[in-house]
């Protein structure tokens, strides 16, 4: 992960671990990262390997 460009993506595991009983809709994660959903998926895959849905 590139700390400068992947900060919004890095928040996803922290959010998921901090709120294990809450759903994590992709649209909400993208909105939280203030990027478009498609861009979020692309950047997530680049940073982690799998897509958010595969995790």
């Amino acid at each position: 992960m590139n700390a400068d460009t992947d900060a919004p993506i890095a928040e996803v595991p922290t959010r998921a671990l901090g709120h294990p009983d809450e759903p994590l809709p992709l649209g909400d994660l993208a909105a939280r990262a203030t990027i478009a959903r498609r861009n979020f998926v692309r950047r997530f895959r680049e940073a982690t390997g799998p897509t958010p849905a595969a995790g």
Side-chain angles (χ1 to χ4, degrees):
M1 261 193 225
N2 179 334
D4 293 332
T5 59
D6 293 327
I9 305 306
E11 181 184 331
V12 173
T14 302
R15 173 85 176 136
L17 292 172
H19 304 276
D21 295 335
E22 293 180 18
L24 295 171
L26 187 55
D28 291 355
L29 294 173
R32 237 178 126 77
T34 64
I35 57 178
R37 181 181 169 160
R38 186 174 178 181
N39 191 26
F40 179 85
V41 170
R42 181 181 53 80
R43 289 179 57 187
F44 188 93
R45 188 178 320 132
E46 289 171 357
T48 66
T51 64

